[in-house]
Amino acid sequence: MGRPDKAARAAIARRRSDAIDLRLAGVDWLTIARKLAADPTVNSDGIAYPQGYGVERYRKNQDPPTNGALIHAACRDVRTALADRRAELNDDVDELRAMESDRLDRLFFVAYKKAVRDQDLAAIDRTLRIMERRARLLGLDMPVRAELSGPDGGPVQVESVTVDELDALIALTDPDGK
């Protein structure tokens, strides 16, 4: 089976978008799968969904996929669509980060010239703030190391507790039980 043509890819993208919308609406996996199934005998709307689940079997007049196979296909679609959206968002974030870096470079150049040429302390401070902002934006700073310690800097005591003890502690901190 080769790569789907442009129309089929668009229909698959639409199916994945519909699957996400249904899942966000709280629809269970089997209902999603049946709503987006290609075979009208399985499809909850009684229509052949374009590029729906089991479309190859439907075109070959084979039995429709099992409920398990339909659910698996719906889950895979949602996972794939969400991964694609995350990748798009990451690309957008990378573009914004590059644009912000360019802006900081321009501001830095102006402040740096004034700091060096005029030895202006305010310009030096501004230059340093721009450098700090760029380092945070690009992740150039070393991570801050945090260490948890007990009383007087000693070790933290870890004890095992029972579920009843945890419930009692929760009751103390949240008397309404919410």
Side-chain angles (χ1 to χ4, degrees):
M1 185 169 136
R3 180 178 162 94
D5 63 12
K6 190 174 184 177
R9 287 193 309 271
I12 291 169
R14 180 69 200 159
R15 181 190 71 210
R16 288 178 177 159
S17 177
D18 289 348
I20 286 179
D21 290 344
L22 290 167
R23 190 63 186 156
L24 288 174
V27 177
D28 66 277
W29 290 113
L30 183 57
T31 303
I32 292 170
R34 287 190 173 186
K35 186 155 187 68
L36 303 178
D39 192 327
T41 62
V42 175
N43 188 294
S44 59
D45 294 334
I47 59 168
Y49 191 90
Q51 291 300 319
Y53 305 130
V55 69
E56 297 84 15
R57 297 176 68 87
Y58 177 64
R59 288 180 181 151
K60 294 176 183 175
N61 291 322
Q62 296 176 344
D63 289 337
T66 64
N67 286 346
L70 288 170
I71 290 170
H72 178 75
C75 290
R76 186 181 60 234
D77 256 4
V78 169
R79 264 194 319 272
T80 300
L82 289 175
D84 290 347
R85 287 185 181 181
R86 267 192 303 277
E88 288 174 19
L89 286 174
N90 287 340
D91 290 345
D92 291 346
V93 168
D94 289 342
E95 278 182 38
L96 287 171
R97 190 173 286 119
M99 187 170 48
E100 286 298 314
S101 179
D102 288 344
R103 287 177 179 155
L104 289 170
D105 288 344
R106 289 179 182 181
L107 293 171
F108 177 79
F109 180 68
V110 171
Y112 184 78
K113 278 192 334 188
K114 184 160 180 66
V116 172
R117 185 181 57 228
D118 300 340
Q119 297 183 351
D120 182 344
L121 293 180
I124 293 170
D125 287 342
R126 183 60 44 103
T127 302
L128 290 172
R129 286 182 57 206
I130 293 169
M131 291 169 63
E132 289 169 358
R133 176 67 188 114
R134 183 190 300 120
R136 277 194 321 272
L137 176 70
L138 301 177
L140 301 176
D141 291 336
M142 293 289 291
V144 175
R145 183 173 177 193
E147 189 172 301
L148 183 63
S149 62
D152 300 322
V156 174
Q157 296 295 322
V158 179
E159 300 177 14
S160 61
V161 294
T162 66
V163 173
D164 293 335
E165 290 171 324
L166 284 175
D167 286 339
L169 182 60
I170 291 170
L172 286 173
T173 58
D174 188 11
D176 297 332
K178 293 181 181 174

